[in-house]
Amino acid sequence: MKKIALFPGSFDPLTNGHLDTITRGAALFDEVVVGVFVNTSKKSFFTPKEKVQLIEASVSDLKNVRVILQEHDLTVDVANALGAKFLLRGIRSVKDYEYEKDIAQMNQHLSPDLETVFLLASPEYSHISSSILKEVIQFGGDVEKYLPPVINQAIVEKRDQNE
Ligand code: ADP
């Protein structure tokens, strides 16, 4: 049976840290489905549709990766509907571990057969987050090396439009 992993996140925007996790996950699983979920508690820089398009452009050379919009559903329900037996998440620090542990245990309660698999962030990306990158870019800082080129370009364009 095909081993499918769902990688859920807000990806606002997708960073090279996320891309590293996706690439490594794509080598472990038959298919990785990136689930862009609409997080109502966080103010979003890109619309959900923009995020999907930008992520699709960033993963275009990974043939076993696809991107879906996960609007108002529980992550476990989305995974089950996809036939995914794994959730993929990344861990950068002890802070992430604490947060991820609670989510993974809640998801295990909701769907006992769904296994969460964690990949440790690669050292070159373990200090970056979407929110830090957005903040630096807003004030004109250069964080190009941490973003897929298509996403860096889209952020710079959006910043310049808003000026
Ligand atoms: P969420 O709002 O669900 O935490 P994010 O888009 O912030 O969504 O993150 C999605 C997943 O990617 C999380 O498991 C997060 O820990 C992981 N992640 C975020 N940044 C990095 C990074 N730089 N390297 C590896 N994993 C990361």
Short mmCIF file of all heavy atoms in Angstrom, two decimals, residues 7-21 24 37 39 42 88-93 96-97 99-100 103 118-122 124-131, ligand 1:
data_model
loop_
_atom_site.label_atom_id
_atom_site.label_comp_id
_atom_site.label_asym_id
_atom_site.label_seq_id
_atom_site.Cartn_x
_atom_site.Cartn_y
_atom_site.Cartn_z
N PHE A 7 1.62 16.81 5.24
CA PHE A 7 2.42 17.83 5.94
C PHE A 7 1.56 19.08 6.08
O PHE A 7 1.44 19.87 5.15
CB PHE A 7 3.68 18.12 5.11
CG PHE A 7 4.64 19.12 5.74
CD1 PHE A 7 4.86 19.17 7.10
CD2 PHE A 7 5.36 20.00 4.94
CE1 PHE A 7 5.76 20.08 7.68
CE2 PHE A 7 6.27 20.92 5.50
CZ PHE A 7 6.46 20.96 6.86
N PRO A 8 0.90 19.23 7.24
CA PRO A 8 0.01 20.37 7.41
C PRO A 8 0.75 21.58 8.00
O PRO A 8 1.66 21.43 8.81
CB PRO A 8 -1.02 19.84 8.41
CG PRO A 8 -0.25 18.86 9.25
CD PRO A 8 0.90 18.35 8.43
N GLY A 9 0.35 22.77 7.58
CA GLY A 9 0.98 23.96 8.15
C GLY A 9 0.32 25.21 7.61
O GLY A 9 -0.52 25.15 6.70
N SER A 10 0.72 26.36 8.17
CA SER A 10 0.15 27.61 7.63
C SER A 10 1.01 28.15 6.49
O SER A 10 0.51 28.89 5.65
CB SER A 10 -0.07 28.66 8.72
OG SER A 10 0.64 28.41 9.87
N PHE A 11 2.29 27.84 6.48
CA PHE A 11 3.18 28.18 5.35
C PHE A 11 2.98 29.63 4.89
O PHE A 11 2.72 29.89 3.71
CB PHE A 11 2.97 27.21 4.18
CG PHE A 11 3.11 25.78 4.57
CD1 PHE A 11 2.01 24.91 4.53
CD2 PHE A 11 4.32 25.27 5.01
CE1 PHE A 11 2.12 23.59 4.92
CE2 PHE A 11 4.44 23.94 5.40
CZ PHE A 11 3.35 23.11 5.35
N ASP A 12 3.13 30.57 5.80
CA ASP A 12 2.89 31.98 5.45
C ASP A 12 4.17 32.80 5.59
O ASP A 12 4.25 33.61 6.50
CB ASP A 12 1.78 32.53 6.34
CG ASP A 12 1.27 33.87 5.82
OD1 ASP A 12 1.09 33.97 4.60
OD2 ASP A 12 1.09 34.80 6.62
N PRO A 13 5.12 32.66 4.69
CA PRO A 13 5.14 31.78 3.52
C PRO A 13 5.95 30.52 3.80
O PRO A 13 6.57 30.38 4.86
CB PRO A 13 5.90 32.65 2.50
CG PRO A 13 6.94 33.32 3.36
CD PRO A 13 6.26 33.60 4.68
N LEU A 14 5.96 29.64 2.78
CA LEU A 14 6.84 28.47 2.81
C LEU A 14 8.29 28.97 2.80
O LEU A 14 8.63 29.86 2.02
CB LEU A 14 6.60 27.64 1.55
CG LEU A 14 7.45 26.38 1.42
CD1 LEU A 14 6.64 25.18 1.93
CD2 LEU A 14 7.83 26.11 -0.03
N THR A 15 9.11 28.42 3.69
CA THR A 15 10.53 28.80 3.74
C THR A 15 11.39 27.62 3.25
O THR A 15 10.88 26.52 3.05
CB THR A 15 10.96 29.11 5.19
OG1 THR A 15 10.94 27.88 5.93
CG2 THR A 15 10.04 30.11 5.86
N ASN A 16 12.68 27.87 3.12
CA ASN A 16 13.58 26.76 2.76
C ASN A 16 13.63 25.70 3.86
O ASN A 16 14.00 24.57 3.60
CB ASN A 16 14.97 27.28 2.44
CG ASN A 16 15.03 27.90 1.05
OD1 ASN A 16 14.16 27.64 0.21
ND2 ASN A 16 16.04 28.72 0.78
N GLY A 17 13.28 26.08 5.09
CA GLY A 17 13.19 25.11 6.18
C GLY A 17 12.06 24.12 5.92
O GLY A 17 12.22 22.91 6.02
N HIS A 18 10.88 24.67 5.55
CA HIS A 18 9.75 23.78 5.18
C HIS A 18 10.13 22.92 3.98
O HIS A 18 9.84 21.72 3.93
CB HIS A 18 8.52 24.61 4.79
CG HIS A 18 7.91 25.42 5.89
ND1 HIS A 18 7.69 26.77 5.79
CD2 HIS A 18 7.45 25.07 7.12
CE1 HIS A 18 7.11 27.22 6.88
NE2 HIS A 18 6.95 26.21 7.72
N LEU A 19 10.77 23.56 3.00
CA LEU A 19 11.11 22.84 1.76
C LEU A 19 12.09 21.70 2.04
O LEU A 19 11.99 20.63 1.45
CB LEU A 19 11.72 23.85 0.76
CG LEU A 19 11.88 23.38 -0.67
CD1 LEU A 19 10.56 22.87 -1.25
CD2 LEU A 19 12.42 24.53 -1.54
N ASP A 20 12.98 21.93 2.99
CA ASP A 20 13.93 20.89 3.39
C ASP A 20 13.17 19.69 3.99
O ASP A 20 13.44 18.54 3.66
CB ASP A 20 14.91 21.51 4.41
CG ASP A 20 15.95 20.51 4.89
OD1 ASP A 20 16.72 20.03 4.05
OD2 ASP A 20 15.97 20.21 6.10
N THR A 21 12.19 20.00 4.85
CA THR A 21 11.39 18.92 5.46
C THR A 21 10.60 18.17 4.38
O THR A 21 10.51 16.95 4.39
CB THR A 21 10.43 19.51 6.52
OG1 THR A 21 11.21 20.20 7.49
CG2 THR A 21 9.62 18.44 7.21
N ARG A 24 13.03 15.96 2.31
CA ARG A 24 13.45 14.77 3.06
C ARG A 24 12.27 13.81 3.24
O ARG A 24 12.42 12.59 3.17
CB ARG A 24 14.06 15.19 4.39
CG ARG A 24 15.43 15.86 4.18
CD ARG A 24 15.84 16.73 5.38
NE ARG A 24 15.95 15.99 6.61
CZ ARG A 24 15.85 16.54 7.84
NH1 ARG A 24 15.63 17.86 7.97
NH2 ARG A 24 15.98 15.81 8.90
N PHE A 37 -3.17 25.03 5.56
CA PHE A 37 -4.39 25.21 6.32
C PHE A 37 -4.60 26.64 6.73
O PHE A 37 -3.68 27.40 6.92
CB PHE A 37 -4.53 24.15 7.41
CG PHE A 37 -3.94 24.45 8.74
CD1 PHE A 37 -4.76 24.45 9.87
CD2 PHE A 37 -2.60 24.69 8.88
CE1 PHE A 37 -4.21 24.70 11.12
CE2 PHE A 37 -2.06 24.93 10.12
CZ PHE A 37 -2.88 24.94 11.25
N ASN A 39 -5.37 29.26 9.00
CA ASN A 39 -5.30 29.47 10.44
C ASN A 39 -5.99 30.79 10.79
O ASN A 39 -5.49 31.86 10.47
CB ASN A 39 -3.82 29.50 10.86
CG ASN A 39 -3.64 29.50 12.35
OD1 ASN A 39 -4.50 29.97 13.08
ND2 ASN A 39 -2.52 28.98 12.81
N LYS A 42 -4.09 33.55 13.03
CA LYS A 42 -2.90 34.28 12.58
C LYS A 42 -3.27 35.15 11.38
O LYS A 42 -3.95 34.67 10.47
CB LYS A 42 -1.81 33.29 12.13
CG LYS A 42 -1.06 32.58 13.23
CD LYS A 42 0.11 31.79 12.64
CE LYS A 42 0.71 30.79 13.61
NZ LYS A 42 1.67 29.88 12.96
N LEU A 88 3.40 14.56 8.81
CA LEU A 88 4.81 14.96 8.82
C LEU A 88 4.89 16.34 9.46
O LEU A 88 4.11 17.24 9.12
CB LEU A 88 5.30 15.01 7.36
CG LEU A 88 6.72 15.48 7.09
CD1 LEU A 88 7.74 14.54 7.72
CD2 LEU A 88 6.96 15.56 5.57
N ARG A 89 5.82 16.49 10.42
CA ARG A 89 6.02 17.81 11.04
C ARG A 89 7.52 18.01 11.27
O ARG A 89 8.29 17.05 11.35
CB ARG A 89 5.29 17.91 12.39
CG ARG A 89 3.79 17.82 12.29
CD ARG A 89 3.12 19.06 11.77
NE ARG A 89 3.13 20.16 12.74
CZ ARG A 89 2.62 21.36 12.49
NH1 ARG A 89 2.09 21.65 11.32
NH2 ARG A 89 2.66 22.30 13.41
N GLY A 90 7.92 19.27 11.41
CA GLY A 90 9.33 19.58 11.63
C GLY A 90 9.53 20.11 13.04
O GLY A 90 8.63 20.73 13.61
N ILE A 91 10.71 19.84 13.59
CA ILE A 91 11.03 20.34 14.94
C ILE A 91 12.34 21.11 14.90
O ILE A 91 13.37 20.58 14.47
CB ILE A 91 11.12 19.18 15.95
CG1 ILE A 91 9.71 18.62 16.17
CG2 ILE A 91 11.74 19.64 17.27
CD1 ILE A 91 9.57 17.74 17.37
N ARG A 92 12.27 22.39 15.29
CA ARG A 92 13.47 23.22 15.29
C ARG A 92 14.13 23.31 16.65
O ARG A 92 15.31 23.53 16.76
CB ARG A 92 13.11 24.66 14.86
CG ARG A 92 12.78 24.81 13.40
CD ARG A 92 12.04 26.10 13.15
NE ARG A 92 10.70 26.02 13.73
CZ ARG A 92 9.75 26.92 13.55
NH1 ARG A 92 9.99 28.01 12.84
NH2 ARG A 92 8.57 26.75 14.08
N SER A 93 13.33 23.18 17.70
CA SER A 93 13.83 23.51 19.03
C SER A 93 12.97 22.84 20.09
O SER A 93 11.94 22.24 19.78
CB SER A 93 13.70 25.03 19.23
OG SER A 93 12.33 25.36 19.13
N ASP A 96 9.45 24.11 19.88
CA ASP A 96 8.64 23.38 18.89
C ASP A 96 8.21 22.03 19.46
O ASP A 96 7.08 21.60 19.28
CB ASP A 96 9.44 23.09 17.60
CG ASP A 96 9.31 24.21 16.57
OD1 ASP A 96 8.58 25.17 16.82
OD2 ASP A 96 9.97 24.10 15.52
N TYR A 97 9.15 21.36 20.12
CA TYR A 97 8.85 20.03 20.65
C TYR A 97 7.64 20.07 21.57
O TYR A 97 6.72 19.25 21.46
CB TYR A 97 10.07 19.46 21.40
CG TYR A 97 9.72 18.23 22.21
CD1 TYR A 97 9.58 16.99 21.61
CD2 TYR A 97 9.47 18.33 23.58
CE1 TYR A 97 9.20 15.87 22.34
CE2 TYR A 97 9.08 17.23 24.31
CZ TYR A 97 8.95 16.00 23.70
OH TYR A 97 8.55 14.91 24.43
N TYR A 99 5.18 22.20 21.73
CA TYR A 99 3.98 22.51 20.96
C TYR A 99 3.56 21.30 20.13
O TYR A 99 2.40 20.88 20.13
CB TYR A 99 4.31 23.72 20.09
CG TYR A 99 3.27 24.16 19.11
CD1 TYR A 99 2.08 24.73 19.52
CD2 TYR A 99 3.50 24.04 17.73
CE1 TYR A 99 1.14 25.16 18.59
CE2 TYR A 99 2.56 24.46 16.80
CZ TYR A 99 1.39 25.02 17.24
OH TYR A 99 0.46 25.43 16.32
N GLU A 100 4.53 20.71 19.46
CA GLU A 100 4.25 19.59 18.55
C GLU A 100 3.77 18.35 19.32
O GLU A 100 2.95 17.59 18.83
CB GLU A 100 5.49 19.23 17.73
CG GLU A 100 5.94 20.32 16.76
CD GLU A 100 4.98 20.52 15.58
OE1 GLU A 100 4.21 19.60 15.27
OE2 GLU A 100 5.02 21.60 14.99
N ILE A 103 0.06 18.66 20.05
CA ILE A 103 -0.76 18.46 18.84
C ILE A 103 -0.75 16.98 18.46
O ILE A 103 -1.79 16.40 18.16
CB ILE A 103 -0.22 19.29 17.66
CG1 ILE A 103 -0.30 20.78 17.98
CG2 ILE A 103 -1.01 18.99 16.39
CD1 ILE A 103 0.28 21.64 16.88
N PHE A 118 8.28 13.07 12.98
CA PHE A 118 8.98 14.35 13.10
C PHE A 118 10.35 14.27 12.45
O PHE A 118 11.09 13.31 12.66
CB PHE A 118 9.20 14.70 14.58
CG PHE A 118 7.91 14.87 15.33
CD1 PHE A 118 7.45 13.89 16.18
CD2 PHE A 118 7.17 16.03 15.18
CE1 PHE A 118 6.26 14.04 16.87
CE2 PHE A 118 5.97 16.20 15.86
CZ PHE A 118 5.53 15.20 16.70
N LEU A 119 10.69 15.30 11.71
CA LEU A 119 12.06 15.42 11.20
C LEU A 119 12.68 16.62 11.90
O LEU A 119 12.06 17.69 11.98
CB LEU A 119 12.05 15.64 9.68
CG LEU A 119 11.57 14.46 8.84
CD1 LEU A 119 11.70 14.78 7.34
CD2 LEU A 119 12.35 13.19 9.14
N LEU A 120 13.90 16.42 12.42
CA LEU A 120 14.62 17.56 13.02
C LEU A 120 15.02 18.52 11.92
O LEU A 120 15.51 18.09 10.87
CB LEU A 120 15.89 17.08 13.71
CG LEU A 120 15.81 16.53 15.12
CD1 LEU A 120 17.22 16.33 15.65
CD2 LEU A 120 15.03 17.45 16.04
N ALA A 121 14.82 19.80 12.17
CA ALA A 121 15.22 20.81 11.19
C ALA A 121 16.72 20.71 10.93
O ALA A 121 17.51 20.44 11.85
CB ALA A 121 14.88 22.20 11.72
N SER A 122 17.12 20.91 9.69
CA SER A 122 18.54 20.96 9.38
C SER A 122 19.15 22.19 10.05
O SER A 122 18.48 23.23 10.15
CB SER A 122 18.75 21.04 7.87
OG SER A 122 18.28 19.86 7.26
N GLU A 124 21.09 24.50 9.25
CA GLU A 124 21.11 25.80 8.53
C GLU A 124 19.75 26.49 8.51
O GLU A 124 19.66 27.66 8.16
CB GLU A 124 21.69 25.66 7.12
CG GLU A 124 20.94 24.75 6.16
CD GLU A 124 21.42 23.30 6.17
OE1 GLU A 124 21.69 22.74 7.26
OE2 GLU A 124 21.50 22.71 5.08
N TYR A 125 18.69 25.75 8.89
CA TYR A 125 17.35 26.35 8.87
C TYR A 125 16.68 26.35 10.24
O TYR A 125 15.53 26.76 10.35
CB TYR A 125 16.44 25.61 7.89
CG TYR A 125 16.98 25.58 6.48
CD1 TYR A 125 17.12 24.39 5.78
CD2 TYR A 125 17.36 26.76 5.84
CE1 TYR A 125 17.61 24.37 4.48
CE2 TYR A 125 17.86 26.75 4.55
CZ TYR A 125 17.99 25.54 3.88
OH TYR A 125 18.48 25.53 2.61
N SER A 126 17.37 25.87 11.28
CA SER A 126 16.65 25.67 12.54
C SER A 126 16.36 26.99 13.26
O SER A 126 15.59 27.01 14.21
CB SER A 126 17.41 24.71 13.44
OG SER A 126 18.63 25.26 13.79
N HIS A 127 16.93 28.10 12.80
CA HIS A 127 16.66 29.40 13.46
C HIS A 127 15.66 30.23 12.67
O HIS A 127 15.40 31.38 13.03
CB HIS A 127 17.97 30.17 13.61
CG HIS A 127 18.63 30.47 12.29
ND1 HIS A 127 19.09 29.47 11.47
CD2 HIS A 127 18.85 31.64 11.65
CE1 HIS A 127 19.60 30.02 10.37
NE2 HIS A 127 19.45 31.33 10.46
N ILE A 128 15.09 29.70 11.59
CA ILE A 128 14.19 30.56 10.80
C ILE A 128 12.73 30.12 10.93
O ILE A 128 12.42 28.96 11.10
CB ILE A 128 14.58 30.62 9.30
CG1 ILE A 128 14.55 29.23 8.64
CG2 ILE A 128 15.92 31.30 9.11
CD1 ILE A 128 14.53 29.30 7.13
N SER A 129 11.87 31.14 10.87
CA SER A 129 10.43 30.90 10.88
C SER A 129 9.82 31.86 9.87
O SER A 129 10.42 32.89 9.54
CB SER A 129 9.84 31.18 12.26
OG SER A 129 10.02 32.54 12.57
N SER A 130 8.63 31.53 9.40
CA SER A 130 7.95 32.41 8.45
C SER A 130 7.80 33.80 9.05
O SER A 130 8.00 34.82 8.37
CB SER A 130 6.56 31.86 8.13
OG SER A 130 6.65 30.58 7.58
N SER A 131 7.44 33.88 10.33
CA SER A 131 7.18 35.21 10.90
C SER A 131 8.44 36.05 11.00
O SER A 131 8.41 37.25 10.70
CB SER A 131 6.46 35.10 12.24
OG SER A 131 7.02 34.10 13.00
P1 ADP B 1 1.99 25.86 11.99
O1 ADP B 1 1.27 27.17 12.08
O2 ADP B 1 1.08 24.68 11.84
O3 ADP B 1 3.07 25.63 13.03
P2 ADP B 1 4.08 26.42 10.10
O4 ADP B 1 3.92 26.76 8.66
O5 ADP B 1 4.61 27.48 10.98
O6 ADP B 1 2.67 25.92 10.56
O7 ADP B 1 4.98 25.11 10.25
C1 ADP B 1 4.63 23.88 9.69
C2 ADP B 1 5.59 22.82 10.19
O8 ADP B 1 6.90 23.10 9.71
C3 ADP B 1 5.73 22.75 11.70
O9 ADP B 1 5.91 21.40 12.10
C4 ADP B 1 6.97 23.56 11.99
O10 ADP B 1 7.59 23.15 13.20
C5 ADP B 1 7.82 23.18 10.77
N1 ADP B 1 8.83 24.20 10.46
C6 ADP B 1 8.68 25.53 10.47
N2 ADP B 1 9.83 26.16 10.15
C7 ADP B 1 10.74 25.18 9.94
C8 ADP B 1 12.14 25.17 9.64
N3 ADP B 1 12.82 26.31 9.50
N4 ADP B 1 12.76 23.98 9.49
C9 ADP B 1 12.06 22.82 9.67
N5 ADP B 1 10.76 22.75 9.99
C10 ADP B 1 10.09 23.92 10.13
#
